[in-house]
Structures are given as structure tokens and as C-alpha cells.
Amino acid sequence: MIRHDVVVLGAGLAGMRAAIEAKRAGVDVAVISKLHPTRSHSGAAEGGINAALGNATEDSPESHAFDTVKGSDYLGDQDAIEIMCREAPDDIYELEHMGAIFTRSADGKLAQRPFGAAGAPRTIYSADITGHVLIHVLYEQLIKYDIKVYEEFFATKLVIDEGQCAGLIAWDTQKGGLHAIEANHVILATGGVGRMYYGTTNAYACTGDGMSLAWNAGVPLKDMEFMQFHPTTLKSNGVLITEGCRGEGGYLRNKDGERFMKHDAPNAMELASRDVVSRAEWREIADGRGVDGCVLLDLTHLGWKKIKSRLPGSRELAMDYAGVDPIEQPIPVRPGAHYHMGGVDCDVWGETIVPGLWAAGEVACVSVHGANRLGGNSLMETIVFGRRAGQAAAERVHAQGDTGARIEPAALADEDRRIAGILNNSEGERPGVIREELAKTMYDKAGVYRTGDVLTECQDKVHELRERARNLRIDDHGSVFNTDLTTALELHSLLECADCLVTSAIPRTESRGAHSRLDYTVRDDDHWLKHTLNWNDGGQVRLDYRPVTITKHQPLARSY
Ligand SMILES: Cc1cc2nc3c(=O)[nH]c(=O)nc-3n(C[C@H](O)[C@H](O)[C@H](O)COP(=O)(O)OP(=O)(O)OC[C@H]3O[C@@H](n4cnc5c(N)ncnc54)[C@H](O)[C@@H]3O)c2cc1C
């Protein structure tokens, strides 16, 4: 039996930051990850990370907080947003002291680029490979602190013992076999669920496992209906072209060369909030002013020098996957599923309603993004709330010691039977077939624009797919690096998250942030200024609601 004081599930930025903080506080901590840490999706982040340093123009944590509240379409909890914006600057300096090489301006300060819906240039960056830089910096720290990593361990179940989290059960992907891993505290940091959509910027491994683990352990998921569509993704494979391209001055044009954002956001233009820009693009394409199902991201006027120094990764992606050199030609782009605002319900320290179970990063919903996240705020969330969860869990270890919760051998045996049942089944459907049907259904029926009728069709289809997924056929019956098995396990997570998403979206009869209804086009604060909670009721989704925390900013009309 493996046992640690604190087990962090996930080795992206949130998980590594949490583990480092817990270790610094002197507790025994281990990280479990289905991927090698540096392969986590955080490494794909491009554009940057937000903090009100005020290096480019005057700025303050208060302005950062206001922009975030407005960007969230007033659904974000303002106490949590204030914490993130206040603590962000020190976290940036700490990342820098750990060795993060951020781009600097001519005066030697950390450079800050403008990002969507931000009142000042606030996004700190390392060219356009910010996530790549940060994930390596934190991995170095993990090694420096000698933190144990169980790499390529796939968590299949959280174990709750008399209401207290006792640890988890994980499948060793490299060698095969299940392990019970006990802990006084488990911090979920498993990232997002973009893969439930076809046409997503998310890595193949972003399958919502942590949300499903928590949901099945009795923790509600919050605001699941809010999936962000990023305005600039490549048509061929959904690969992201960073908002930094527009931050550096890029234009969006329709087939007539018109900068169509002037109709939707005459002041902010291309740097309006992501939900606003995605909807404008959708309209241009639907009304026949697109180019082959896309609009055009034009960087040609920026000049080769700026593109090569500030946006080299984006240029490479455009050349490799769209066959276009942005120095000479515009890049065809369209909206793609990018970031899930919803997640595991937790407080500002990451604590859930199950004692000993915490969450941080994209898996969590604190909530700092509400109905729509601002670019650059997610990386900051992983660092601020990863650190806070690590600190709080460690303090709890010091205060309480051993919680006494244990994983009984019977729990491991039950899970062993369940996994063996999937492994040995040679009849039924292939998981990949259902995964693809799900992704297409979600993109077509629960996308940028929604209506009640189509969402209900989507829900019916998701229920049908959940039913069909009870009987999956695995062709690989071996135990070593069996990706057939992990794909099947991920499919269940995707389906549960999709059910929560669509079931939450149907009754929300308003348009707010990323949830945009053609049949209810206005925001309705009287009825819907509240968080949606999704409870697991015998495997079915049960909805409940909770008020939003408002401290300073009463809801206003949102325009850019
Ligand atoms: C292409 C792209 C670009 C982005 N650019 C930016 C940007 O410029 N700025 C910004 O603020 N945000 C950006 N984002 C969003 C941001 O990068 C993510 O929200 C954030 O990095 C998520 O970090 P995380 O630590 O929560 O999860 P991740 O980095 O996704 O890590 C999840 C971890 O959980 C582990 N895991 C998952 N399931 C299991 C399981 N069942 N068992 C064991 N381990 C498991 C994985 O192995 C992994 O280590 C971008 C996102 C994408 C997709």
C-alpha cells in the first residue's frame, strides 16, 4: 500500500504548484499523473499570464478584478476574483525567481501585451510559448524538492471512507495493475474537458477525469454549461493560434477584407472578449462572408520582424497545419472549444464539501471565470489557486495529522473487478466510435449558439451514448500500455461531463457569456444570476443553484 500525507492528482501547472507548496510546508507529498508532467496540456499555453504589474501603462489589481468580473458576465465570484488579482503580481515575481524567462521590453522590465477585454496591457509572456516555459520551470522545482511522481498512473476512482477522502485507486499504465494510494488529502488538478468537442484546442488527454471522479465521490460540479470557444483555431485540427496575435495588432477580416468586429465591439475591435468575437465570427461564416468555413486572421501588416520575435510559434503552426506563412498571407481561423469555465465546486482554498478533497486549476470552479474566461487568467489561476490549495492542505496535515480514513481491501477488489470487466469484454462497441459521435454531437448541438430544442436533442443523444457505453469492446486485452483501456475510461468521464453540461444548459433560459441562446438572447439577472450545481443522483444529473458572491460590482450591461 502506498501512503502519503498529500497526494496531488495531475502534474500540470496547478498540480505541480500545489505539490511544491505542500512540500515547502514540510509535509510528505506525491504527484500522480497519467502523463509525464511536461506533457500536460499546460505546456501548450501560448499567449501569456495576467498580473497587474503596470509595466506598460498604469494598472492595478482592482482594474484587473473589474475586467475579470465584467468578462465573466457577472457570474464570477468577486471575492475569489479579488484574491487572484491581488496575489498575481507576487506569483509572477516568484515564477521569475524560479527561472521563468519572460520577454522583456526595451526598458528592461517584464513586457506586457494587450489581451482581450483587458483595460491595460497586462499579459506577461515568453514569446508565444509561455506554457512550455512555465511547465519546465515548475518541473525543475519538482525535481529540486525531490517530490515523488507516479508517472503514467491513471486514477480510476476516489475512495471516500465515512465521509472523508481516503485516497484513490490508480492503474499503472506502464506495467499494468491497480494500486491503492492512501492520503490524508487529495488535491485534484486534472485539467479540463475540451475533448468532449470536435474541433478543440485541447490535448487528447483533456477528458474531464477529475470532474467525473469528484462527481462520483459526491461533490457537485458547478457551472458546467459554460464552455469557452476560442475565436482563432485552425480548421484542420483545432490547433490554437494565440490571442497574442491580436494582442500584437492582428486583424480579423471577412472574405471582403472588412474588419467585421467594428459591428460588435467598435472600441475593443479584435480585442473584445472571446465570447463576443466567436459569435461575430460565427455570424460572418453563417451569413456567407467567410472563406471556406473560416474568417481570416491577418498579421501581414505587423511585419516579419515582429512576427518572428513575438509570434514565432504561431507562424510555425500556421505554416505546418494551414500551409500559410502569416508574414505574407492571412491565416484562416474559426471558433473552437478551448476552455471549460465549469468544474469541481470548491472554495477559495480549493476545498470541496468532502473533507480531505481539494481542487485547483481548470478542473476546479472557484469561480474566477464565471460565464466567460479572459485570456491569460487561466494560467494565473493555476498558479494562485494551486499554491493556495497546497498550502491549505499542508496546514490541515499539521493541524489534524492522520485523518484515519483508509482504503479497505474490498474497495480495491471492487475496482479490480470493474476494470477487469472492461478489459476482458470482447463484445460491444469500440470506445473511439462513441467518443467521435459525442464530440460531433456537442460541436453541432451545444456550441457557440444554442437553442432549447437543439439542446434537448443533444441531451437525448448523450443519454443514448451513455447507455451504449455500458458495453464497450476493448481489442487490447493486455496490461502494458493499454491505451484501449484508458480511452474507455476517459470516455465515461467525457460522457458524464457532457451530460452535466447539456443538462445545465437546457433550463438556463438566457444568454450569458459563453452560453448564448438564440431563443433567449438577453441576460436575465432576475432569474439567472446564480451558479448551477450538478449533483450525481444515482448516475443521473440533478440540478441545484447557488447565489453569486458580489462584493463591489453590481451587474452592468456588457459592451466592448
Ligand atoms: C492550446 C492552449 C493554449 C492555452 N493558452 C493559454 C494562455 O496563453 N494563457 C492562459 O491563461 N491559459 C491558456 N490556456 C488554458 C490553460 O493552459 C489551462 O487552463 C491550464 O494550463 C490548465 O492547467 P491544469 O494544471 O489545470 O491542467 P493540465 O495542464 O491540463 O494538467 C492536467 C494533469 O492532470 C493529469 N491527469 C488528468 N486525468 C488524470 C487521471 N485520470 N489520472 C492521473 N492523472 C490525470 C494529466 O496527466 C496532467 O498532468 C490554454 C489552453 C490551451 C488548450
Side-chain angles (χ1 to χ4, degrees), residues 11 13-14 33-35 40-42 45 47-48 153 155 190 209 362 376 378-379:
L13 289 177
S33 175
K34 67 180 178 181
L35 304 171
S40 305
H41 186 62
S42 294
F153 266 51
T190 48
D209 302 358
E362 192 170 339
S378 172
L379 289 185

Side-chain angles (χ1 to χ4, degrees), residues 175-235:
K175 300 199 187 94
L178 281 179
H179 295 269
I181 302 173
E182 282 187 346
N184 294 311
H185 298 275
V186 172
I187 301 175
L188 296 172
T190 48
V193 65
R195 277 283 152 181
M196 73 161 85
Y197 281 83
Y198 168 80
T200 173
T201 63
N202 281 203
Y204 201 73
C206 298
T207 52
D209 302 358
M211 295 178 203
S212 150
L213 289 170
W215 191 63
N216 285 298
V219 179
L221 303 181
K222 190 161 76 200
D223 296 340
M224 292 294 280
E225 60 271 47
F226 297 100
M227 171 63 74
Q228 175 168 85
F229 284 76
H230 194 293
T232 56
T233 74
L234 297 181
K235 187 181 177 191

Side-chain angles (χ1 to χ4, degrees), residues 9-15 32-37 39-50 115 130-131 135 153-156 189-192 201-203 205-210 213 240 242 274 338-339 360-363 373-382:
L9 184 64
L13 289 177
I32 295 173
S33 175
K34 67 180 178 181
L35 304 171
H36 176 71
R39 296 193 61 218
S40 305
H41 186 62
S42 294
E46 299 172 10
I49 175 165
N50 291 346
F115 246 44
T130 312
I135 204 145
F153 266 51
F154 188 112
T156 65
T190 48
T201 63
N202 281 203
C206 298
T207 52
D209 302 358
L213 289 170
L240 177 79
T242 174
R274 285 178 181 172
H338 180 58
Y339 179 88
E362 192 170 339
V363 68
R373 167 176 81 89
L374 297 191
N377 268 356
S378 172
L379 289 185
M380 200 67 247
E381 178 192 24
T382 65

Side-chain angles (χ1 to χ4, degrees), residues 247-367:
E248 296 293 346
Y251 296 151
L252 287 170
R253 298 186 190 277
N254 61 19
K255 78 170 177 17
D256 304 321
E258 184 194 31
R259 287 177 68 192
F260 52 86
M261 283 310 299
K262 67 181 181 204
H263 304 296
D264 305 84
N267 299 313
M269 294 291 285
E270 284 82 359
L271 284 178
S273 192
R274 285 178 181 172
D275 54 336
V276 176
V277 183
S278 287
R279 282 194 289 274
E281 290 184 0
W282 199 267
R283 177 201 60 223
E284 292 299 305
I285 295 166
D287 291 354
R289 289 185 296 277
V291 179
D292 190 23
C294 290
V295 295
L296 299 171
L297 175 62
D298 186 2
L299 309 182
T300 52
H301 56 287
L302 300 182
W304 64 269
K305 213 168 170 180
K306 195 169 194 179
I307 292 176
K308 282 190 172 174
S309 64
R310 298 283 176 87
L311 304 165
S314 307
R315 178 174 179 238
E316 261 181 51
L317 292 172
M319 292 199 297
D320 288 349
Y321 296 115
V324 163
D325 183 348
I327 293 176
E328 285 155 13
Q329 279 173 283
I331 314 166
V333 291
R334 64 173 188 176
H338 180 58
Y339 179 88
H340 193 217
M341 274 71 73
V344 175
D345 177 40
C346 64
D347 69 12
V348 295
W349 291 99
E351 191 162 23
T352 72
I353 57 159
V354 170
L357 185 61
W358 311 70
E362 192 170 339
V363 68
C365 181
V366 178
S367 105

